[in-house]
Amino acid sequence: MLKIKVIKGDITKLKVDAVVNAANETLLGGLGVDGAIHKAAGPELLAECQTLHGCKTGQAKITQGYHLPAKYVIHTVGPIYSGRARDDAFLRACYVNSLDLAKENNLHSIAFPAISTGAYGFPTGRAALIAFQTVKKWLRKNEAAKIEVIMCAFDDKTAALYQKQV
């Protein structure tokens, strides 16, 4: 049974094993979800991120959650939307690599924001389709991992698009 839940809310308030940060390549904080996670986690997150030496688009790295209710933060760098096919591949990789890290660290709950749909300009509907297809496929292939996935929408439009994908 696939365990995917959609909620509308603030990802920094979720009590899960890991929240996913839609980060930039520096991992040193930024706008939107990235800035909110860094602010809520406290300065210790920035200090740990400085030791990671950045992250490439589509890849993921894990840190402690510090002052967040989540134990960990999985940082992934989504693509800046260009309209090319590689954008879709990079976005898929964000979800797969984040889930792989969760599995490697024996985590059982993970919350994703709408990666790349803010400042990076990825069309929300297309991003939602890719996110759900990718997560469902990963969960089917990794049933033994027993990971609950929460798709966290910050606004009504994204929440409605997510509900259609469940």
Side-chain angles (χ1 to χ4, degrees):
M1 184 173 100
L2 297 178
K3 293 181 183 168
I4 302 176
K5 207 160 67 172
V6 172
I7 65 158
K8 181 184 164 230
D10 181 347
I11 199 166
T12 67
K13 306 278 192 237
L14 299 180
K15 190 171 172 47
V16 291
D17 289 340
V19 293
V20 175
N21 180 17
N24 61 49
E25 288 188 348
T26 70
L27 299 183
L28 303 180
L31 304 170
V33 171
D34 192 13
I37 287 174
H38 271 268
K39 182 178 178 186
E44 299 92 340
L45 180 61
L46 177 59
E48 185 175 354
C49 284
Q50 288 170 330
T51 70
L52 299 177
H53 310 293
C55 186
K56 301 243 184 266
T57 302
Q59 297 303 304
K61 295 189 177 183
I62 191 167
T63 62
Q64 296 295 311
Y66 299 101
H67 302 288
L68 291 165
K71 295 176 201 159
Y72 297 94
V73 177
I74 295 176
H75 308 265
T76 191
V77 181
I80 296 171
Y81 188 71
S82 68
R84 293 190 282 233
R86 69 179 184 161
D87 298 341
D88 292 3
F90 277 131
L91 188 58
R92 270 188 222 93
C94 288
Y95 288 93
V96 169
N97 290 324
S98 295
L99 287 162
D100 285 347
L101 262 182
K103 180 181 173 185
E104 286 167 26
N105 286 276
N106 200 31
L107 307 182
H108 298 288
S109 57
I110 184 172
F112 284 96
I115 299 168
S116 283
T117 62
Y120 283 11
F122 213 105
T124 309
R126 180 155 190 74
L129 180 66
I130 291 166
F132 277 82
Q133 284 176 344
T134 304
V135 168
K136 286 175 182 177
K137 182 178 179 181
W138 190 95
L139 288 171
R140 279 192 295 273
K141 284 172 68 176
N142 294 274
E143 265 185 69
K146 293 185 171 50
I147 296 177
E148 178 188 37
V149 176
I150 296 167
M151 303 301 269
C152 184
F154 191 70
D155 59 26
D156 291 329
K157 176 187 171 193
T158 305
L161 288 168
Y162 279 1
Q163 287 297 342
K164 289 179 186 174
Q165 296 297 326
V166 179

